[in-house]
Amino acid sequence: MKKKKVIILGVIVLAILAAGFVYDYTFNSKHRDIANEEATIVLSANELFSDFQNDESSATTKYLDKVIAIEGEITAVEINDIILNNQIQASFNVEQLLKVEEGTSLTIKGRCVGYDELLEMVKIDQATIINKF
Amino acid sequence: MKTKQNIIVQFLLSIVVLISASSLLSAQGKYIDKKGEIVFEASEALFEPVKATNESVTVILNTETSEIASLALMKGFRFKNSLMEEHFNENYIESETYPKATFKGKLLDFNFSEITENNTEVTVDGKIELRGKEKEIRTTLNIKKSGDLIIIQGSFKVTPADFDIEIPSIVKNKIAKEIMVLLDFKLNKK
């Protein structure tokens, strides 16, 4: 009799725990932390841009949502954004004044969001600067 | 002979001047926003909010022809709930296959010189393309100037069916039938 009670209690506790995990997974699962993810592709701004210009759909399959490291030269600095080689628009996560100057060569890391044919630019978000030359 | 040459040179020069003047003119009327904001909301009362924001929308307005074009990359829509974002991209929008939404249209009876620091209501008429489907949109925008910026704000409604998006019955009552789309653009002279 006592054994049965223990089992029932155990099942209830397990059920509550499971419900808790499901709830947590559904409502509180974390967003990706791009800054701490390893870049899976490393390439130059020119290569990335020409891949999208040549064949947008295969470039989309190849790069979309991937964390990539891009090397290029800064051609414009805007609030929260830098433009590389007039081809890549990289948005940084937090509103910050970027301490970089036009003409600097550097490597950034970020998530590829896709190709914007109105601007003729590849968009990157959640960018961070890896190194400056 | 010399005068003939002079005339030719003058003629060529005037063509060059004309061409550069006209290209200057067409460049004059272009306004652009690279960081426009679009929010969509499909929340139902009592359920978790279904809402996402894209802060990297491109908008180009030609004030001379009144043409307006906009582009939003689907992966740029950020949800508070990461699982919802995943479902949005993978199950509903299929952003790997259809990575962007575009709008091409025209402002009706738009006269740029009449735009002031106060909101002017302007009707916009055009087409949204998403998931390979086109949908006609006509809505009223509020347009005003603020310093050098042109500010465009507005909203419209769409339904998942407009773009052949099927909502599974299990979540049907958690997602609104009509989706509210809000836009907030700040355009700079190009």
Side-chain angles (χ1 to χ4, degrees), chain A residues 88-102:
Chain A
I88 315 283
Q89 182 190 6
S91 306
F92 288 70
N93 239 354
V94 266
E95 293 268 336
Q96 57 176 340
L97 270 177
L98 298 160
K99 291 183 196 103
V100 284
E101 278 171 22
E102 275 178 42

Side-chain angles (χ1 to χ4, degrees), chain B residues 41-109:
Chain B
E41 181 146 24
S43 305
E44 281 284 26
L46 303 178
F47 289 105
E48 207 195 357
V50 180
K51 186 180 174 185
T53 308
N54 189 331
E55 291 174 338
S56 188
V57 180
T58 304
V59 190
I60 297 177
L61 169 68
N62 186 329
T63 52
E64 272 149 34
T65 61
S66 303
E67 284 168 323
I68 185 163
S70 178
L71 185 148
L73 291 166
M74 301 322 291
K75 283 278 183 190
F77 280 99
R78 306 304 308 275
F79 291 70
K80 204 174 136 216
N81 183 324
S82 67
L83 203 64
M84 209 182 271
E85 191 170 308
E86 204 179 302
H87 290 164
F88 168 78
N89 280 300
E90 281 168 19
N91 307 344
Y92 301 127
I93 291 294
E94 297 168 88
S95 50
E96 300 254 337
T97 322
Y98 308 106
K100 63 192 92 178
T102 56
F103 174 81
K104 283 193 177 68
K106 213 164 180 173
L107 301 175
L108 305 180
D109 303 318

